[in-house]
Amino acid sequence: MQEILDAVLSGDPAAMAGLRVPESYRGVVVRKDEQTMFEGMATRDKDPRKSLHVDEVPTPALGPGEALVAVMASSVNFNTVWTSIFEPVSTFSLLEKYGRLNELSKRHDLPYHVVGSDLSGVVLAVGAGVSRWKCGDEVVAHCLSVELEDPQGHDDTMMDPQQRIWGFETNFGGLAELALVKSNQLMPKAAHLTWEEAAAPGLVNSTAYRQLVSKNGGAMKQGDTVLVWGASGGLGSYATQYALNGGAIPVCVVGSPEKAEIARRMGAELVIDRSAEGYRFWKDEHTQDPREWQRFGKKIRELTGGDDIDIVFEHPGRETFGASVYVTKRGGTITTCASTSGYLHQYDNRYLWMNLKRIIGSHFANYKESWEANRLIGKGLIHPTLSRTYPLDQTATAVLDVHHNLHQGKVGVLCLAPGEGLGVRPEAQEFRAGHLAAINRFRDV
Ligand SMILES: NC(=O)c1ccc[n+]([C@@H]2O[C@H](COP(=O)([O-])OP(=O)(O)OC[C@H]3O[C@@H](n4cnc5c(N)ncnc54)[C@H](OP(=O)(O)O)[C@@H]3O)[C@@H](O)[C@H]2O)c1
């Protein structure tokens, strides 16, 4: 592994040629024999530091159309929180299902699951039939794994019946020294970013792009008023940037004055601190309080000068969904990609049908949307929102931070990278300097 690292650090792609693929590598795993360890516990009390381990695991055999990547950095996504607490299902059930598909997918069904759905790094080896990428290429990987043998996915790759999220529904993910991906997951790494910055946007950037910008999601246009829940979090920090870039007017909801400050730093002017306002959309576990929806809607109108919301960027789910449907404008759209606070939503359907509102389900992004979102990172039009990084062996602490909502933006993990600040190409230094303040907006807040 040291030889690989030395070759990457030399900055010379040719130095990677002829390097031996190691027989094993260190990766962050959950173990199958521990998948029931949290049974009976409250979600919040399930501690990822008990379930996530850094284990030495065998390097998988490289199949046709695949690539093995030396991972310099990765980042924590909420899906690793779900995997680590075995909710809503143990991801071993997903690996077993994938394993039944064919001979190649069988490799993924193992008694351990190497997690992680983001990476930046360097291609170490490619399988038969790969011509677009070669050993030594500096890359990031999007997390869409598809087979495309059925026609449903041929227009929008997210519609493939065999659609999976790499590192969540497949094995050999990015929180590790090596990762196995399908070669069509690879995309160029932005030359002006460090390894840890480049690994941060991936999953959430692509998801926010589809959910808000793409015609498959909110199809946002200039002038739209966009309500962004969790505007300083993983998804929200990209949704806010897309709204501002696209000439829309984001109304950013956050949970503390510090987070409100970050939203303002991104350029948002309309910010609601939900903890200061003390919204209680649920009177008790079973009953919502429409007066609180009204109070929230009134606050939005106060900020917007009377406008209601064209698009709600939803992901908290049960706790906020009733309010989200209520505050949406006649004919407006609620786009949802998650249910962090609970997936059985309740809303008053009269507000939806009588006012011709629409709810759109959105999930990650297709190949094209992922490339479009990555292109904007490369052009310095969307910036990483990395707040801090952890070494690989402290990944579980990083995951706990995200589980308990103690983080801002994205939390990075250094995999092979021996420290922060490496990986910027010399020719991109000047470009980087021009964007440095924006790149560092979330650092150490
Ligand atoms: N379908 C997909 O493709 C996809 C992709 C990415 C993520 N997701 C899912 O989306 C969710 C968010 O992911 P993320 O990466 O953005 O996570 P994150 O970094 O934790 O950010 C989520 C933000 O939502 C806010 N929030 C949390 N609970 C809330 C509640 N009860 N009411 C209102 N706001 C709440 C928090 O902000 P404040 O406390 O500041 O308000 C938090 O910062 C997760 O469930 C994740 O699994 C789905």
Side-chain angles (χ1 to χ4, degrees):
M1 209 57 84
Q2 188 60 45
E3 277 176 16
I4 294 172
L5 180 57
D6 291 343
V8 173
L9 294 178
S10 76
D12 176 9
M16 298 287 290
L19 286 180
R20 202 174 50 85
V21 172
E23 280 169 15
S24 64
Y25 65 101
R26 291 189 325 135
V28 177
V29 304
V30 284
R31 297 176 186 154
K32 195 170 194 172
D33 60 5
E34 293 183 343
Q35 63 183 328
T36 56
M37 69 193 298
F38 295 135
E39 267 178 16
M41 290 172 72
T43 297
R44 193 181 163 80
D45 298 337
K46 298 177 182 174
D47 188 340
R49 291 172 302 182
K50 295 204 168 81
S51 55
L52 290 174
H53 311 278
V54 179
D55 283 354
E56 188 80 22
V57 296
T59 305
L62 189 57
E66 293 180 341
L68 206 53
V69 181
V71 183
M72 295 302 281
S74 183
S75 81
V76 176
N77 285 296
F78 215 93
N79 64 6
T80 294
V81 175
W82 297 124
T83 302
S84 71
I85 62 175
F86 307 104
E87 280 193 29
V89 291
S90 160
T91 47
F92 287 103
S93 63
L94 308 174
L95 299 184
E96 284 162 20
K97 188 171 175 215
Y98 189 32
R100 288 194 289 271
L101 189 66
N102 59 41
E103 274 306 305
L104 270 185
S105 70
K106 209 181 269 177
R107 292 167 303 163
H108 292 254
D109 181 11
L110 293 166
Y112 57 86
H113 184 184
V114 186
V115 294
S117 300
D118 273 322
L119 69 74
S120 67
V122 178
V123 175
L124 185 58
V126 293
V130 177
S131 44
R132 171 73 170 76
W133 302 100
K134 59 182 186 318
C135 176
D137 286 344
E138 296 189 353
V139 292
V140 291
H142 70 66
C143 61
L144 174 57
S145 168
V146 286
E147 311 298 323
L148 294 182
E149 291 183 304
D150 296 281
Q152 294 96 311
H154 291 173
D155 180 34
D156 174 2
T157 44
M158 278 305 292
M159 295 299 174
D160 186 42
Q162 296 299 335
Q163 178 270 320
R164 290 180 171 81
I165 299 297
W166 159 71
F168 179 65
E169 292 162 281
T170 77
N171 217 321
F172 318 122
L175 286 162
E177 293 173 332
L178 299 181
L180 183 76
V181 296
K182 291 180 188 284
S183 69
N184 52 21
Q185 286 175 245
L186 297 175
M187 305 186 293
K189 170 194 168 284
H192 68 290
L193 298 179
T194 64
W195 296 113
E196 62 278 9
E197 290 162 359
L203 182 149
V204 282
N205 181 39
S206 304
T207 305
Y209 182 84
R210 181 180 177 109
Q211 190 179 343
L212 188 57
V213 179
S214 164
K215 65 175 167 42
N216 293 314
M220 185 194 79
K221 62 181 188 334
Q222 55 182 305
D224 280 352
T225 305
V226 179
L227 182 70
V228 183
W229 288 105
S232 77
L235 285 171
S237 58
Y238 294 88
T240 301
Q241 293 186 66
Y242 280 117
L244 290 164
N245 274 7
I249 303 157
V251 178
C252 293
V253 187
V254 291
S256 71
E258 295 75 33
K259 291 180 172 188
E261 174 54 27
I262 295 178
R264 290 201 177 87
R265 267 195 231 169
M266 281 190 283
E269 290 173 3
L270 314 182
V271 183
I272 299 176
D273 177 351
R274 68 183 173 100
S275 56
E277 298 289 337
Y279 297 115
R280 289 197 59 211
F281 299 131
W282 291 80
K283 279 192 237 179
D284 58 49
E285 210 186 311
H286 307 288
T287 328
Q288 297 214 50
D289 186 350
R291 282 173 312 177
E292 285 292 90
W293 301 346
Q294 287 161 11
R295 188 161 75 88
F296 183 52
K298 196 163 164 243
K299 178 78 187 172
I300 291 169
R301 284 186 180 168
E302 245 172 64
L303 291 174
T304 60
D307 289 337
D308 291 329
I309 298 298
D310 292 286
I311 306 171
V312 181
F313 187 83
E314 243 294 338
H315 50 88
R318 182 171 172 82
E319 205 157 306
T320 55
F321 207 81
S324 291
V325 170
Y326 178 80
V327 300
T328 301
K329 181 186 276 182
R330 193 176 173 83
T333 307
I334 302 101
T335 61
T336 173
C337 78
S339 293
T340 313
S341 64
Y343 48 78
L344 288 176
H345 297 184
Q346 193 189 77
Y347 64 90
D348 187 333
N349 202 34
R350 290 169 299 179
Y351 292 112
L352 191 90
W353 98 69
M354 291 298 287
N355 296 300
L356 303 104
K357 306 179 189 187
R358 291 182 306 153
I359 297 171
I360 296 180
S362 191
H363 185 39
F364 188 60
N366 64 30
Y367 282 175
K368 185 158 188 277
E369 290 157 346
S370 299
W371 271 78
E372 284 170 356
N374 188 54
R375 175 173 169 267
L376 294 169
I377 299 285
K379 289 198 165 296
L381 291 167
I382 295 286
H383 300 289
T385 60
L386 184 69
S387 54
R388 60 183 299 194
T389 63
Y390 288 80
L392 188 65
D393 55 14
Q394 286 174 30
T395 302
T397 307
V399 175
L400 182 71
D401 277 3
V402 175
H403 180 25
H404 286 175
N405 194 14
L406 300 173
H407 66 300
Q408 324 277 2
K410 291 289 298 177
V411 180
V413 173
L414 299 175
C415 298
L416 283 172
E420 291 189 14
L422 304 166
V424 179
R425 299 299 306 175
E427 64 277 13
Q429 286 288 1
E430 197 182 330
F431 181 76
R432 175 181 176 80
H435 292 288
L436 204 54
I439 293 168
N440 285 331
R441 254 183 222 138
F442 279 68
R443 292 310 297 246
D444 302 320
V445 282

